[in-house]
Amino acid sequence: MVRRFGWSTPLVALLALVALVGVACGGDEDGSTGGSADNDGRALVVALTSEPSNLSPVFLDVNAGNWKIFSGLVAFDQDLQLVPDLAAEMPEYSEDGRTVTVRLRQDVTFHDGEPLTSEDVVFTWNAILDTDVATPIRERLALDGLIEGVRAVDEFTVEFTLSRMDPAFMERLYTGIVPAHLLEGEDLNSTSFNREPVGTGPYRFASWVAGDRLVFEAYEDYYGGAPAIKRVVFTFVPDENARAALMGNGEIDFTRMSPRLAENFEANEDVRVVQVPSASMYQLTLPNKHPAISDVRVRQALSMAVNREEMAATLIGPLGQPAYGPFREGHWAYDDSGHVDYDPQGARDLLAEAGWTESDSQGFLLKDGERLTFTILYLASNAEDQEFALALASDFQEIGVDARVEVGSNPGYQDRLDADAFFHGVGMPYDPEYVMRARFHSDYADVAANPAGMANPDVDAALDASRATLDPEERREAFIDLQRALLEDGSYLIIAERPTVVLVSADIEGLVPQMAGSPHAFVRGLSWNLEDWSWK
Amino acid sequence: MPAIEARALSVGFRTERGVVQALSDASFAIERGETLVVIGESGSGKTVLAHALMRLLPRNVTLAGEVDLEGQPLLALPEDEMRRVRGRRMALIPQGAGSALNPVRRVGGLMLEMARVRGLGQGEAREALDGSLRELGLSFQQVAERYPHQLSGGMQQRVVNAMAMVGEPSVVIADEPTHGMDPELVDTTAEQLGMIARRGAALLVITHDLRLAERLGGRTALIYSSYIVELRDTAAFFSQPEHPYGRALLGALPEHGGVAIPGVSPELTQLPRACAFAPRCPARFEPCDEAVPPMFPLPGGGEARCYLHA
Amino acid sequence: MIAVVGRRLLALPLILFAVALLVFLLAWASPYDPAEAYVQGAAAGDALTPELREQFERAWGLEDPMPVQFLSWLGRLVQGDLGESRYLSGAPVVDALKDRAYPSLVLLGSALGVVLVGALLAGVAAAAFRDSPLDWLIRTSAYAATFVPSFWVALLAVFVFAVQLDWLPAAGASNLRSVDGGRVEFRHLLLPMLTLALTQHGWFTLYVRDTLLEVLRDDYVRFAEAQGVGRVAVLFRHALPNALIPFVTLIGTHIPELIGGSILIESVFGWPGLGNLTRQAAIAVDIPLLLAIVLVGAVLVVLGNLIADLLYRVIDPRIRESMR
């Protein structure tokens, strides 16, 4: 009769909640690693920094490493040298360099059991070349209409016809091969294959719960032998602290960490801190259209004013390495002679030579009554970029240059690169033709790829020379010329190597780091030989 | 022993503007079965008197004097004992029965809860409530399942009155029980109040309705600016008030000529250390401005706070 | 009652239409470029050439003028087709939403439950011990919750409870090793749920406190006190039910805030729900996906308000009466 209102219900709910918390915290520990007793069926859990949207190689960047679901005609070995993969032996260029014939292995099957034939290779490459397919990799793989045609000579032989000789073409054959029999007639832009792929690689797709996890299983019939680790789980955790917590709890086995947070794991016996050699470099882009900066002496002076050693040591830590050019030590085209000494006095002298002789009451240099001033833009998405931008501005102010720092909006910052400097990390370890032509050649001075708008004849000449020959030694010479020309020009100031630090469970055997691109490519850099990994 | 007795009861409120003296030096006693009607203008301290007796006052209050309930001092009681006293031995009939009943509770549950507080058992409470309601012309059955807004104003009032009757409290205090009522309802309410007194409770009725006071009989206490200025037999008061304020008040009634009292009441924060009515009093003379007059006994019984009767 | 429901549900398509149009206009006016976002997200360092942009826009049906795009989207929507997600490489939007709905509903629902229970307890405690240190503490925490950024609280929670204390998992909805995806485990739910609740309880707690203090001044509460009803009973049986009536409508109006808060919380905790998907869709400028998420949000808001409104009518006997 008396209506008992409201208050007892929430109270009971709360008590129940408290009880549940107790229960939940008490039990359910079955997921922890708990020693090496039972590593046989153990899944390798990888925390990615973001979720992929598409696993098809038709859309995939080389950084993605084919996800180990696919394999290409060729692969990179530990030293980034090309080795045959689906190809029976390393393909060779024809006499004029315009034909490449690839003989395929005959023992390869897709994960659905169908054999791989030349039809699949032709289908894959025609898909990439098809302008109805919205893939961002077409421009890079088929730069300037490079590929004229792909044709099946017989069941296991494919012939590529090129419009010109391209020494970097062989590397493009890295692209994963998709099964024609599953994709014929499908709209490649929206086919479910993109999220439930079938390939020829060591791992096969198992399941993908969007936003939650992506699961691969070992492909027992892999032509290279069944992988030892039978199950790989990818999860997606953007926040670095959360990833550190997961690693510390033993909930994951493999993830990327900033050098500073990674230091916390140095003493952790269950975790290995591995540095993946990174081809990515911190770089300051100086706008060639800026009236003062268009003077090469000013760019040189700015380069001399940067204390690279100290920045690398203080902003990155013990792993920090200063850098002067776009290649990293260990890359076949690296030139160890390129170097700029930290010399603020020399920088001031050079500026004086360029006409910056007077200074105002605040100590800033003047020419015709105007300051030498510009803004350094950086993007907020990378925390360490801001610190570098501030340190650079401080070094520039040291020599009387009124440099300021501003966070750029993305998109938006691209429109300001005519007048403002831009700081970011950039670089990939693959063939320089593949990655550096668009970055530095004057043909690209008006698109975002070469944001400084640099048009340097020496740079252009070196790049042109590097693609005019198939001889590795001649190409190396050309790239050494490129590095010297870049250092001379000063439009792109390379500041330091951008380290990629990875945390891996100490229970894993078989790790062999391979040079990788940006830190986002960490999975590629370490797990390129995932099929050779095993549990201790 | 009187059912309730107040001696030199004073109530002040500490506010930002200073102390508001809401009740000063009130002394009276009510026997069981007896009625005391407290009349006065709004803001004169009537309601504070009712709340002070039940100790239903906010925290910024200062109390002085004594209140005895059947000989037991109330002001020093701890709060939970006082709560028990409020529940079992005193009852309040609030101003506006409609707003005093919880709008989201069924009337039956509400009444039973109150009856239980009075110390009645479950079945007992139901019976007692039904009994009281029947005396007032209703039954428990009729109202129990309804919500307050589903009852007419008269029924709401009877529900509240019945609640005050249950458990036979020693003291029933009615605060403006006829506020906002139409004349017909005033009549029944007056009757029911009379019945409550006849059942043996000491009845204190706070009202500004002089006609109601006259009807209820018993004794009347007239309040002006926090002071009880006249305390007399109701009939005697209405036939011949002795305090100049009482005379002016009755003179202001339409049937007595409707002469308004000149001037305004003093601010309760700045009461003079003299007769509070003096500035408006036609009979003012020297002692009036010298000190607050005490209650002087009147020849025909009762008291008045006026030097004319010294 | 039926009329009320009918009127609201009839208004729903209009609301959805307006919301969809707004999203379309915002996306159209936004400087964010789907083609550029796609290239940046898919491939590090690739440049978007004009030819490539043209090819993308053709593949995605973006070359039509905006009104045509909107109408064709609307036409498909009427047939129950939400289109394909660009970010999810052409997967049907409906599938993407289905996958993500369950974890989100679990998180939102449980967080709302905690908010309600917590706000009731805290609000009642604050009102009961008005001006005490407890009241001060509760009010301060409630005010803080209304202006402290929720992702900051989330990061702090991860740091303290997952990193430092190692009590709870830092991310995901279920154990990564032992469980297949698509499940929600309580241990994983706790931290995001409590964080979301903590950052959302402010208005609720303050509301309970203030309404209760107001109700405590009402005649029927004072009458109950005068009857000798105990302090606790006065608070819970007389004052609280009245304070709860407007509180119910507050739940309805706060659903949008809850959903908004869940976007950040889900992102920090790597929760496989709609909030996380919203962030991903926004970064990828995936208009079909964003539109669908916003529409789902709008439906939830309308339904939430409707339910609150109906509940309000049910629990307040005065309104219930007038509807019969």
Side-chain angles (χ1 to χ4, degrees), chain C residues 117-130:
Chain C
V117 174
L120 274 178
L121 292 177
V124 169
F129 301 99
R130 186 185 184 177

Side-chain angles (χ1 to χ4, degrees), chain A residues 364-431:
Chain A
F364 288 114
L365 291 173
L366 297 175
K367 181 176 170 182
D368 306 331
E370 302 260 357
R371 282 186 186 179
L372 205 182
T373 181
F374 62 92
T375 299
I376 301 173
L377 293 173
Y378 67 96
L379 298 183
S381 45
N382 295 311
E384 62 280 2
D385 287 9
Q386 181 191 33
E387 296 177 14
F388 270 101
L390 289 169
L392 285 167
S394 157
D395 278 357
F396 294 152
Q397 285 158 10
E398 207 55 27
I399 59 162
V401 172
D402 184 9
R404 292 142 196 221
V405 171
E406 201 180 309
V407 59
S409 61
N410 185 17
Y413 79 92
Q414 292 92 339
D415 301 336
R416 298 179 51 180
L417 297 183
D418 279 353
D420 295 323
F422 176 53
F423 182 85
H424 68 149
V426 64
M428 291 218 289
Y430 312 109
D431 197 294

Side-chain angles (χ1 to χ4, degrees), chain C residues 4-18:
Chain C
V4 173
V5 177
R7 222 176 310 130
R8 293 293 190 88
L9 291 183
L10 277 180
L12 186 60
L14 282 178
I15 293 171
L16 295 185
F17 176 81

Side-chain angles (χ1 to χ4, degrees), chain A residues 51-61 64 67 134 188-191 193-195 197 208, chain C residues 38 42 86-90:
Chain A
E51 186 172 4
S53 65
N54 191 326
L55 299 179
S56 167
V58 174
F59 299 87
L60 280 188
D61 181 65
W67 284 101
L188 292 180
N189 289 320
S190 61
T191 173
F193 180 90
N194 292 342
R195 297 176 66 79
W208 189 351
Chain C
Y38 184 75
R86 244 170 264 147
Y87 161 68
L88 297 172
S89 52

Side-chain angles (χ1 to χ4, degrees), chain C:
Chain C
M1 172 109 62
I2 289 164
V4 173
V5 177
R7 222 176 310 130
R8 293 293 190 88
L9 291 183
L10 277 180
L12 186 60
L14 282 178
I15 293 171
L16 295 185
F17 176 81
V19 168
L21 186 61
L22 196 67
V23 173
F24 236 92
L25 287 173
L26 282 175
W28 178 66
S30 153
Y32 286 80
D33 173 359
E36 199 153 313
Y38 184 75
V39 170
Q40 283 192 358
D46 271 310
L48 179 69
T49 59
E51 298 82 47
L52 202 55
R53 177 193 298 276
E54 197 185 298
Q55 291 162 12
F56 283 2
E57 291 185 345
R58 183 153 38 84
W60 294 336
L62 292 180
E63 79 265 80
D64 296 329
M66 202 277 289
V68 177
Q69 284 181 44
F70 183 65
L71 287 177
S72 87
W73 175 84
L74 207 60
R76 292 179 67 179
L77 179 72
V78 172
Q79 295 160 33
D81 180 1
L82 283 168
E84 286 96 34
S85 158
R86 244 170 264 147
Y87 161 68
L88 297 172
S89 52
V93 166
V94 175
D95 291 352
L97 295 185
K98 261 192 273 174
D99 284 351
R100 306 291 189 103
Y102 169 67
S104 267
L105 287 179
V106 171
L107 178 61
L108 283 175
S110 61
L112 184 63
V114 173
V115 165
L116 296 184
V117 174
L120 274 178
L121 292 177
V124 169
F129 301 99
R130 186 185 184 177
D131 297 330
S132 71
L134 180 70
D135 179 27
W136 183 88
L137 192 77
I138 290 171
R139 266 190 306 167
T140 308
S141 108
Y143 285 127
T146 58
F147 65 75
V148 173
S150 59
F151 69 89
W152 184 81
V153 179
L155 290 176
L156 199 69
V158 166
F159 182 73
V160 173
F161 294 103
V163 181
Q164 295 293 318
L165 298 172
D166 190 10
W167 286 355
L168 293 166
S174 59
N175 189 299
L176 290 164
R177 277 183 215 290
S178 60
V179 177
D180 277 336
R183 273 181 53 190
V184 174
E185 288 185 330
F186 188 74
R187 235 168 72 83
H188 286 256
L189 174 65
L190 264 181
L191 212 47
M193 171 186 79
L194 292 179
T195 308
L196 183 56
L198 186 70
T199 55
Q200 294 289 327
H201 85 286
W203 291 116
F204 290 92
T205 300
L206 291 173
Y207 195 85
V208 172
R209 176 187 180 273
D210 293 350
T211 324
L212 202 54
L213 285 177
E214 218 166 272
V215 169
L216 282 172
R217 283 193 291 269
D218 277 352
D219 287 343
Y220 51 85
V221 172
R222 306 182 59 149
F223 179 52
E225 281 171 351
Q227 301 276 345
V229 175
R231 213 175 131 79
V232 176
V234 165
L235 206 56
F236 283 102
R237 298 175 58 142
H238 292 262
L240 194 57
N242 284 281
L244 278 182
I245 293 173
F247 184 68
V248 168
T249 55
L250 191 72
I251 300 170
T253 55
H254 258 73
I255 286 178
E257 290 221 15
L258 202 64
I259 293 175
S262 77
I263 294 177
L264 293 170
I265 301 279
E266 285 194 3
S267 299
V268 172
F269 288 100
W271 193 256
L274 290 171
N276 210 341
L277 187 66
T278 310
R279 182 185 57 89
Q280 292 169 320
I283 290 173
V285 203
D286 189 342
I287 306 298
L289 191 51
L290 276 177
L291 273 171
I293 293 171
V294 172
L295 288 188
V296 169
V299 170
L300 279 182
V301 169
V302 171
L303 285 183
N305 272 307
L306 180 62
I307 290 169
D309 207 29
L310 293 178
L311 214 56
Y312 178 76
R313 284 155 205 272
V314 168
I315 65 170
D316 190 333
R318 287 162 292 188
I319 299 183
R320 187 170 54 201
E321 172 73 9
S322 69
M323 290 192 309
R324 280 198 187 129

Side-chain angles (χ1 to χ4, degrees), chain A residues 7-68:
Chain A
W7 69 277
S8 57
T9 318
L11 197 67
V12 169
L14 185 82
L15 288 175
L17 199 70
V18 171
L20 271 172
V21 172
V23 169
C25 292
D28 194 26
E29 292 293 335
D30 53 324
S32 54
T33 48
S36 58
D38 184 26
N39 272 339
D40 274 357
R42 178 170 163 187
L44 176 78
V45 182
V46 185
L48 304 177
T49 53
S50 62
E51 186 172 4
S53 65
N54 191 326
L55 299 179
S56 167
V58 174
F59 299 87
L60 280 188
D61 181 65
V62 59
N63 274 332
N66 281 333
W67 284 101
K68 288 288 150 195

Side-chain angles (χ1 to χ4, degrees), chain B residues 209-257:
Chain B
D209 180 348
L210 298 182
R211 283 192 194 86
L212 176 70
E214 201 171 357
R215 275 188 67 164
L216 287 174
R219 285 180 303 148
T220 289
L222 175 65
I223 294 196
Y224 180 77
S225 293
S226 86
Y227 291 96
I228 295 181
V229 293
E230 188 165 345
L231 179 59
R232 283 175 76 199
D233 227 46
T234 301
F237 171 78
F238 279 97
S239 63
Q240 181 60 52
E242 291 294 349
H243 194 281
Y245 172 62
R247 275 180 236 150
L249 193 66
L250 293 190
L253 288 175
E255 61 267 36
H256 296 290

